[in-house]
Amino acid sequence: MTSTQPQLHVVLGSGPAGSTLAAELAGRGHRVRLVNRSGDGPAVAVSTPAGAVAAPVERYAADVTRPEEVRRAVEGAAVVHHCVNVAYHLQTEVLPRVQQAVLGAVGATGARLVVLDTLYPYGETGGEVMTESTPWRATSRKGRMRARLDEAYLDAHRSGRARVTLGRSADFLGPAVINSSLGGAVFPAALTGGEVLGLGDIDLPHSYTYIGDVAAGLATLAAHPEADGRIWHLPTAPAVSTRQIHRMIAERVGGPLRTLVLDEPRPVGPFDETFMAEYAEMFYQHTEPQILDSSAFEREFGLRPTPLTEALDATLAWYRGALAAQAG
């Protein structure tokens, strides 16, 4: 007799990507368990034709650096989604431990693993368009670390120890996205007349991936076992300059932005000294074009990226609501 019970998807990490993915999966009819250290957090909402409704998402507490806790957290899952990130200055120490725990858990349980990945392994490209076949030439500590992790994920798949697929994203943009170069240092100031931060050369083309497309892309990879064993670029709108995006924001807020451009990394706004000291080796991302090509994903799965106009509208609406809640 065939069970009709929905599949269980376990999402590790409840930041903007993990929470948005949990909502996406719930909206697709899956059972969802959202895991973080505390086991709690804001309500997860699913959009419906009648408006947003609370998603039936199970909260679960686990330390994802501890193999036995991850093993319990993913019990019964058909698919595990790794959306865990940590503070910049802890990444090279903590993320390899997370990988070891997660690979051990999915290997023991037989769940498929979908990993949210970054562009860091490519390193400096000199402005070359990044496709899935672009060589990995990272020289930064975090870039080399990410490349080692990715090779270990792919090796686990090749050796049959786990079934793994990876989805790479450019810088995030969207509701609840704070810690991004197009996040908390931009939208609140744009809405209140403050100083909007730009990094590096804001006239260079720069790809930004809408957080809703990150979630839809990862959920799509989860729905396609044939996607396993390789890296995919998640749906990302065509790159434009950050200055052009600032102009698009200005049109929507009804006036020009006051922009502060940093030509080198230094503490400012939400980016403190600890963060900027660690981010310095990644600042090349703002001094050369960062152009992500997601056409392979789009062709294979028929999923198009959200237009930047719609992404900006949704992001501004979220920030307006967040600012109103703070004022209230």
Side-chain angles (χ1 to χ4, degrees):
M1 182 175 177
T2 301
S3 171
T4 58
Q5 186 179 30
Q7 284 188 336
L8 173 63
H9 286 238
V10 173
V11 180
L12 305 176
S14 63
S19 296
T20 307
L21 174 59
E24 175 74 21
L25 292 166
R28 294 185 180 208
H30 299 297
R31 292 186 296 136
V32 182
R33 180 182 299 152
L34 183 56
V35 179
N36 63 13
R37 188 181 291 269
S38 66
D40 58 20
V44 175
V46 173
S47 296
T48 71
V53 298
V57 172
E58 173 194 354
R59 291 280 185 169
Y60 193 98
D63 179 344
V64 292
T65 66
R66 296 180 178 274
E68 67 281 4
E69 293 193 28
V70 179
R71 173 67 175 77
R72 289 194 293 268
V74 306
E75 185 66 40
V79 184
V80 174
H81 301 260
H82 177 2
C83 297
V84 176
N85 205 358
V86 298
Y88 239 56
H89 66 286
L90 299 176
Q91 287 188 2
T92 55
E93 173 195 349
V94 175
L95 288 180
R97 292 163 52 201
V98 174
Q99 180 189 61
Q100 185 176 17
V102 171
L103 279 177
V106 296
T109 63
R112 290 177 57 230
L113 177 62
V114 178
V115 180
L116 174 58
D117 196 18
T118 73
L119 305 183
Y120 292 3
Y122 297 132
E124 298 182 52
T125 66
E128 173 187 347
V129 175
M130 287 173 275
T131 70
E132 289 87 344
S133 61
T134 297
W136 300 4
R137 297 172 288 206
T139 57
S140 65
R141 288 183 303 115
K142 285 179 279 296
R144 293 196 303 270
M145 177 268 295
R146 292 277 189 173
R148 288 193 296 270
L149 295 185
D150 288 358
E151 187 53 46
Y153 284 125
L154 295 173
D155 182 65
H157 181 87
R158 287 190 293 263
S159 67
R161 290 181 289 119
R163 293 174 295 163
V164 187
T165 186
L166 297 91
R168 281 184 175 162
S169 165
D171 289 344
F172 290 168
L173 158 70
V177 173
I178 306 294
N179 297 320
S180 168
S181 58
L182 200 59
V186 173
F187 292 98
L191 288 165
T192 60
E195 206 165 48
V196 169
L197 183 65
L199 300 181
D201 186 344
I202 66 173
D203 290 306
L204 296 174
H206 194 105
S207 292
Y208 294 95
T209 308
Y210 181 54
I211 197 70
D213 293 336
V214 172
L218 295 175
T220 298
L221 291 177
H224 290 272
E226 69 274 17
D228 291 354
R230 60 167 289 183
I231 290 166
W232 298 88
H233 287 176
L234 299 175
T236 300
V240 300
S241 73
T242 301
R243 190 183 300 279
Q244 184 173 343
I245 290 179
H246 285 184
R247 291 193 188 109
M248 296 167 70
I249 295 170
E251 292 172 1
R252 285 159 172 74
V253 301
L257 305 187
R258 295 197 301 118
T259 303
L260 169 65
V261 177
L262 295 188
D263 56 6
E264 60 183 17
R266 60 179 174 84
V268 64
F271 304 126
D272 62 18
E273 186 173 357
T274 299
F275 175 88
M276 276 302 194
E278 283 292 330
Y279 194 64
E281 66 174 2
M282 310 305 301
F283 203 74
Y284 69 84
Q285 296 174 106
H286 306 285
T287 58
E288 65 176 22
Q290 286 278 290
I291 306 173
L292 177 66
D293 179 352
S294 61
S295 59
F297 189 107
E298 296 170 39
R299 286 193 304 270
E300 182 70 21
F301 304 112
L303 186 63
R304 299 284 299 171
T306 301
L308 276 173
T309 51
E310 295 179 21
L312 290 173
D313 288 342
T315 305
L316 284 164
W318 184 87
Y319 271 98
R320 284 191 182 98
L323 290 172
Q326 289 177 7

